[in-house]
Amino acid sequence: MKVKKAVIPAAGYGTRMLPITKAQPKEMVPVVHKPVIQYVVEEAYYSGIREILIITGKHKRAIEDHFDRGDLPKKEEYTEELERILDEVSIFFVRQKEQRGLGDAVKYAEAFVDDEPFALLLGDNITIPPCTEMLVNVFARYGGSVIAVERVPRERIPLHGIIKGSELDKGIYRIEDMIEKPRVEEAPSDLAVLGRYVLTPEIFDYLKNLKPGYGGEIQLTDALRDMAKEKDVYGMLYNGRRYDIGNKLEWLKANVEIALGDVELGREFKEWLANLR
Ligand code: UTP
């Protein structure tokens, strides 16, 4: 079945980005030319998706305004690309009533998703090259939910959801277990969930009665772990770069990589960077 819908959770606090996020959502933090959530919407669009649900919440109104069709001057390359995408994509919004965790946010997508598989993209993460198209292809081949994972150094294991899996094909794992932010000693591998998924609607059955987990929040990882025990859930090793824009150092690195590759700014920026003392 083709993946035609995407869900983008964007209702988190963004405390790690304070004070930048004191009066604006972290998903609107700029990375070179665009706010981070525009990269995420573009990633979904270029994977063939044409219906997108963004889960927002308190203090997130600017996200909705950003995706209005504007009366902007048409001549600017970057606004033109967005306007073209907005012509083809329907974007819907729903508000998470309380910030109770990613698992709780995803529950708000049930009516939108209905009985179709859907891509799930965290609204504060950028992947280069785009990860979602790869997941959509793996889903088409294996037919079960697929989670993108990346190798992380030992010291970063406690910051992520970590999977236990057996490798079926090169870079494709059958997930047997998952733990949210384990201690290094209890981690079953160094494969960390990175914030891109293609899920079947069965996930909502597992989210329904979920109790708060790590940090007192409703954890998507806990629902995925329960699902992996009863259904086929796959891990796809992603070898690109993922930047969590909710983290200041990664936000800076994303800016540098994207600016260096930019046709308008890249050459001059590279020269300036090389001479920076
Ligand atoms: P984070 O782990 O980055 O948490 O959320 P956060 O609350 O947004 O940020 P900090 O830790 O306060 O700095 C991961 C993803 O889950 C979404 C976030 O928007 C982000 O895309 N999320 C998290 C929700 O939509 N709702 C929640 O209740 C929690």
Side-chain angles (χ1 to χ4, degrees):
M1 204 174 174
K2 213 170 162 289
V3 181
K4 291 180 289 191
K5 293 178 177 175
V7 174
I8 304 179
Y13 284 108
T15 42
R16 289 168 298 153
M17 288 297 278
L18 282 168
I20 299 169
T21 48
K22 186 162 178 264
Q24 68 169 336
K26 71 171 160 178
E27 295 76 13
M28 290 302 294
V29 168
V31 178
V32 189
H33 297 288
K34 317 169 202 175
V36 53
I37 196 157
Q38 188 176 331
Y39 290 91
V40 181
V41 165
E42 287 173 8
E43 179 174 330
Y45 172 80
Y46 289 115
S47 312
I49 285 159
R50 293 294 177 269
E51 284 178 70
I52 298 175
L53 176 72
I54 302 180
I55 300 163
T56 69
K58 221 180 251 169
H59 309 306
K60 301 280 185 172
R61 186 61 57 76
I63 299 176
E64 294 178 40
D65 292 345
H66 186 73
F67 293 107
D68 275 345
R69 285 280 333 238
D71 43 5
L72 296 162
K74 277 273 184 172
K75 49 188 176 323
E76 219 273 295
E77 184 189 335
Y78 300 99
T79 55
E80 231 178 71
E81 184 186 13
L82 178 58
E83 295 286 305
R84 189 170 48 74
I85 290 173
L86 290 175
D87 276 344
E88 289 182 47
V89 168
S90 302
I91 302 187
F92 304 88
F93 297 92
V94 63
R95 285 166 71 97
Q96 186 185 17
K97 291 193 194 99
E98 273 178 275
Q99 287 158 325
R100 298 179 61 214
L102 176 59
D104 179 66
V106 174
K107 278 195 211 176
Y108 286 77
E110 189 169 3
F112 166 80
V113 164
D114 198 14
D115 59 355
E116 290 184 44
F118 65 103
L120 180 69
L121 302 87
L122 299 192
D124 57 355
N125 274 222
I126 294 176
T127 59
I128 305 173
C131 179
T132 300
E133 191 178 4
M134 301 175 196
L135 285 174
V136 165
N137 292 337
V138 172
F139 176 80
R141 178 142 175 240
Y142 289 84
S145 294
V146 201
I147 302 172
V149 294
E150 63 182 346
R151 288 203 186 282
V152 291
R154 269 172 71 81
E155 67 276 12
R156 296 191 61 80
I157 283 176
L159 304 174
H160 300 279
I162 302 291
I163 67 154
K164 176 181 180 203
S166 47
E167 198 167 10
L168 295 179
D169 282 318
K170 200 171 179 314
I172 304 291
Y173 300 82
R174 166 75 180 78
I175 296 182
E176 290 151 13
D177 203 358
M178 293 176 76
I179 315 181
E180 185 61 34
K181 303 192 173 67
R183 292 197 307 273
V184 175
E185 319 78 76
E186 62 179 0
S189 73
D190 61 351
L191 294 170
V193 173
L194 64 91
R196 294 291 189 265
Y197 315 74
V198 168
L199 301 177
T200 57
E202 289 157 336
I203 189 65
F204 297 106
D205 299 336
Y206 295 91
L207 282 168
K208 221 157 256 161
N209 301 312
L210 204 61
K211 303 266 175 317
Y214 181 90
E217 294 196 336
I218 312 261
Q219 296 288 353
L220 176 66
T221 304
D222 293 344
L224 290 168
R225 183 197 55 216
D226 294 347
M227 187 157 94
K229 296 209 164 123
E230 296 178 359
K231 310 266 170 204
D232 286 337
V233 179
Y234 302 96
M236 182 200 80
L237 184 64
Y238 170 71
N239 286 315
R241 285 171 307 287
R242 178 279 288 257
Y243 295 108
D244 174 8
I245 306 301
N247 166 306
K248 282 184 187 161
L249 185 60
E250 290 197 29
W251 166 57
L252 284 175
K253 288 179 182 173
N255 272 287
V256 171
E257 172 166 353
I258 292 172
L260 284 174
D262 188 75
V263 273
E264 186 188 323
L265 311 168
R267 197 182 48 80
E268 215 176 309
F269 182 56
K270 193 173 182 178
E271 273 173 29
W272 174 83
L273 207 55
N275 293 316
L276 187 66
R277 294 270 178 265

